[in-house]
Amino acid sequence: MADIRIKKRKRMREKEVKQLATDLKQLFTKDFFTEKDVVDIAESTDFDVIFVNGDILCIIYEGKPFLTIRGLLAYKPETRSVTVDMGAVPYVTNGADVMGPGIVDVDSSVKEGDLVWIKDVKNGVPLAVGVALYDAIRIKSKEKGRAIKTIHNVGDKLWRYGE
């Protein structure tokens, strides 16, 4: 797998940083970085990325900001999560989409098309970030087939950037 390419990196203005932090607070109901932090935006091969004090902690996917796995580890949000059983962990960490039967719990605020983060039931650590293909009620019904489309996972090129 090729490394991630970062291009057109530029410093964000205080006003832009404040708006980004506000958008993330609406998603996660928690405070994140402030306009005092060093925040850069850059284009990558898959989506735009946000550097906070030198680390990629956010992505912009289809115009929506969301935390990367490193961002999830740093800020520890409690909303927008999908919990999977331990049997699903090896597949999810290798980039597989999340299947309905492997899901144990879903944040009730999740709607179809929302960005969500996937964690395991035992440790609660982030494994991946994905797009919900259905709303929370339908995901909880554990129907066969894909429920979450994975866009970023532990071990992918975005995770390995900067190691």
Side-chain angles (χ1 to χ4, degrees), residues 69-142:
I69 296 171
R70 291 195 191 283
L72 293 164
L73 288 167
Y75 296 117
K76 299 176 180 21
E78 296 176 14
T79 58
R80 296 286 179 129
S81 66
V82 174
T83 308
V84 296
D85 61 29
M86 295 307 289
V89 171
Y91 300 102
V92 173
T93 57
N94 282 326
D97 291 338
V98 181
M99 301 298 172
I103 296 173
V104 175
D105 192 27
V106 180
D107 183 347
S108 60
S109 68
V110 172
K111 304 278 185 265
E112 182 178 341
D114 283 351
L115 291 169
V116 296
W117 61 285
I118 296 98
K119 62 182 178 177
D120 69 64
V121 69
K122 186 176 179 184
N123 304 308
V125 295
L127 306 171
V129 173
V131 179
L133 300 177
Y134 308 105
D135 62 7
I137 295 167
R138 184 158 176 207
I139 293 172
K140 284 180 184 179
S141 70
K142 295 188 176 192

Side-chain angles (χ1 to χ4, degrees), residues 145-159:
R146 294 185 321 155
I148 311 291
K149 176 187 170 204
T150 302
I151 60 170
H152 164 48
N153 59 283
V154 171
D156 70 4
K157 56 190 171 184
L158 184 57
W159 170 259

